[in-house]
Amino acid sequence: MPELPEVTALAERIEERLLGATFTAAVPLSFSGLKTVVPAPDSLIGTHLGGVGRRGKFLLLSADSLTLAIHLSQGGRIDFEERSRPTRARGAVARFSFDRPPALLLKEFGTERKAGWWVLAEGDPGPLAKLGPEPFSEEFGTLVLEGTDPGRIHALLRDQRRVAGIGRGYSDDILHRAKLSPFRSLTSLSPEERARLLDAVRSVLQEGLEAERHIRSGGTPAKMGDHWIVHGRSGTSCPVCGDDLRRVSYESHEVTYCPTCQPGGRSLADRRLSRLVK
Ligand SMILES: [Zn+2]
């Protein structure tokens, strides 16, 4: 679940501690975590960490001509290890060590083994090639203000090929801020609603980033998203109007929204659920 704000703030914390450090080891600790074969992980040894950044939900460590890309997916986390630990931690995916602490342990907190890492040669975009524009880019602004996407806005925001860095958590908060039902489509929006949506995307992500910078140090904790406004809070009161927040569950995710602040276009599934609840 780490999204743009979490990954950006994590990149900043890693850079603050390790900029200029020399890689001394890059050790795969699970079978499926490493997604590339060439260059070999050992080719990172001896390279210098020249910067840490983010693209979409990928954490990017630049190591001379190589790039180490890490995707935390749902349950992936990074631990800062201040002392060397020879033991294989539970859920460990990989460990990256440098000529000074901390070592970075990539681990999988959940049961789904999806966190991954890539060692990319110069000029190889690897998995980044499939990513759409960043939320703060002009290209994404044009997509929101002029796009003709007929699908639901919630799905559009989560689709990394159309905009990179947003997941289910911030999508819920963005649509609540924009006062738009998650079941509406971009094409159904008035120009004013489109402008509101774009503004909500950027302000919610910016505030999320500021919160992440403020509340965390070191790696990423098991439980994140503690500053979300509506996501994961169904059944509690909407902080704006006091109505009960509702949720609609899908196979892979759930959508939380306020029926009063975000009226219109409630899904069939939701209506069926409300009827059962009555
Ligand atoms: Zn409300």
Side-chain angles (χ1 to χ4, degrees):
M1 76 112 271
E3 302 178 27
L4 182 151
E6 288 79 14
V7 182
T8 303
L10 174 63
E12 291 170 355
R13 296 196 297 275
I14 295 173
E15 189 172 270
E16 195 184 324
R17 294 289 306 276
L18 289 168
L19 186 67
T22 305
F23 273 88
T24 55
V27 183
L29 298 170
S30 81
F31 289 113
S32 57
L34 177 60
K35 309 295 183 191
T36 43
V37 177
V38 179
D42 277 358
S43 52
L44 286 168
I45 296 172
T47 62
H48 302 91
L49 190 64
V52 186
R54 176 202 59 79
R55 171 79 173 98
K57 299 183 204 167
F58 287 84
L59 179 67
L60 302 175
L61 286 80
S62 119
D64 294 346
S65 65
L66 302 175
T67 300
L68 168 61
I70 297 174
H71 194 281
L72 298 174
S73 193
Q74 286 303 306
R77 298 290 184 267
I78 296 269
D79 277 355
F80 280 27
E81 295 182 330
E82 300 296 341
R83 253 166 272 145
S84 70
R85 288 191 191 157
T87 51
R88 192 172 171 280
R90 192 156 172 261
V93 177
R95 179 181 279 118
F96 307 101
S97 306
F98 303 85
D99 60 349
R100 64 173 193 253
L104 303 176
L105 177 72
L106 170 61
K107 63 179 185 180
E108 184 79 56
F109 179 74
T111 48
E112 282 181 88
R113 305 268 151 186
K114 283 185 180 165
W117 56 294
W118 293 253
V119 181
L120 303 171
E122 192 164 21
D124 178 7
L128 309 181
K130 292 182 194 152
L131 296 179
E134 290 285 321
F136 291 92
S137 69
E138 208 181 312
E139 191 182 346
F140 176 66
T142 307
L143 171 78
V144 173
L145 299 176
E146 296 166 22
T148 54
D149 193 299
R152 285 177 178 170
I153 307 169
H154 199 279
L156 181 147
L157 293 177
R158 286 182 292 112
D159 183 350
Q160 302 304 301
R161 290 163 300 180
R162 284 184 287 182
V163 56
I166 306 171
R168 58 192 84 167
Y170 287 99
S171 296
D172 282 355
D173 278 18
I174 286 164
L175 291 168
H176 183 260
R177 171 77 54 89
K179 298 191 184 299
L180 295 172
S181 162
F183 312 113
R184 291 188 63 185
S185 67
L186 201 55
T187 43
S188 77
L189 303 185
S190 68
E192 190 261 331
E193 287 172 323
R194 285 177 184 251
R196 218 161 68 207
L197 174 60
L198 183 59
D199 185 58
V201 168
R202 291 171 173 172
S203 61
V204 165
L205 292 177
Q206 188 58 40
E207 286 165 28
L209 175 56
E210 278 153 25
E212 284 295 316
R213 282 173 174 156
H214 181 68
I215 60 182
R216 280 186 231 296
S217 60
T220 42
K223 194 179 180 313
M224 301 186 77
D226 23 20
H227 47 80
W228 278 327
I229 307 293
V230 299
H231 181 71
R233 300 189 194 278
S234 63
T236 67
S237 305
C238 168
V240 173
C241 74
D243 195 358
D244 280 353
L245 296 175
R246 305 270 177 88
R247 77 172 165 202
V248 179
S249 297
Y250 297 93
E251 201 172 316
S252 64
H253 69 284
E254 63 178 43
V255 173
T256 309
Y257 71 103
C258 172
T260 303
C261 291
Q262 301 165 260
R266 286 170 65 194
S267 80
L268 198 61
D270 184 37
R271 271 181 250 139
R272 207 180 296 133
L273 197 71
S274 330
R275 215 178 301 138
L276 287 174
V277 172
K278 281 172 202 163

